[in-house]
Amino acid sequence: MLSGHKQLDVYTYIIDLLYVFGLFFVCVTITPDEVNEYGDYERYFISRKAWFFSLFIFLNFLEYISEARFYLASEDYAEIKTETISLIIETIGIIAAIKINNRKFQFFLIWLIIAGTLSDILIPD
């Protein structure tokens, strides 16, 4: 997490605002007003899985841009390479979850994404 190292400029604000809007849309996608037309939350999630996982790709890309800007400024090219490989692997996994209709795999990937996000927040660099 690079929050203590951010250079505050217009681009940082735009990226952070887009990230917050992306998190808001994830929350809206997860918690609908009514699920009666779908039957239950599981059917609702399966019907919206492409939206849900696409939002995760969007959030990962925004986080990558934010971190890459910091690493480019500090000329830490090895870390940029690591972040790029991580983004590619995560994106391939998320696209696989969109295409694969195995519920266990999709729920496993969601928990993996949540665990990764929490570890990014809770474990210091």
Side-chain angles (χ1 to χ4, degrees):
M1 181 175 269
L2 301 170
S3 61
H5 303 287
K6 283 187 179 179
Q7 177 184 355
L8 299 178
D9 57 6
V10 174
Y11 303 111
T12 304
Y13 289 124
I14 291 171
I15 291 170
D16 287 349
L17 280 174
L18 287 173
Y19 195 82
V20 169
F21 289 142
L23 289 174
F24 171 76
F25 289 127
V26 167
C27 292
V28 168
T29 304
I30 291 175
T31 57
D33 291 335
E34 289 188 30
V35 293
N36 295 338
E37 61 190 68
Y38 299 99
D40 59 2
Y41 281 101
E42 183 177 351
R43 288 186 192 148
Y44 171 78
F45 170 75
I46 298 299
S47 70
R48 298 285 187 248
K49 72 178 179 179
W51 282 94
F52 187 66
F53 288 128
S54 298
L55 285 168
F56 277 121
I57 291 172
F58 176 70
L59 291 174
N60 283 342
F61 183 69
L62 285 176
E63 185 175 347
Y64 171 78
I65 291 172
S66 179
E67 291 180 5
R69 289 184 68 230
F70 170 74
Y71 292 130
L72 282 174
S74 64
E75 296 182 1
D76 190 358
Y77 300 114
E79 195 65 38
I80 293 174
K81 184 178 178 182
T82 304
E83 291 294 326
T84 304
I85 292 170
S86 175
L87 176 71
I88 291 169
I89 291 171
E90 289 172 0
T91 303
I92 289 170
I94 293 171
I95 290 172
I98 292 172
K99 301 292 182 188
I100 296 173
N101 287 327
N102 185 345
R103 290 188 335 222
K104 290 180 182 179
F105 176 74
Q106 292 167 352
F107 288 125
F108 170 74
L109 187 66
I110 289 171
W111 283 109
L112 193 63
I113 290 171
I114 291 170
T117 303
L118 287 176
S119 70
D120 189 37
I121 293 169
L122 299 175
I123 298 173
D125 292 338

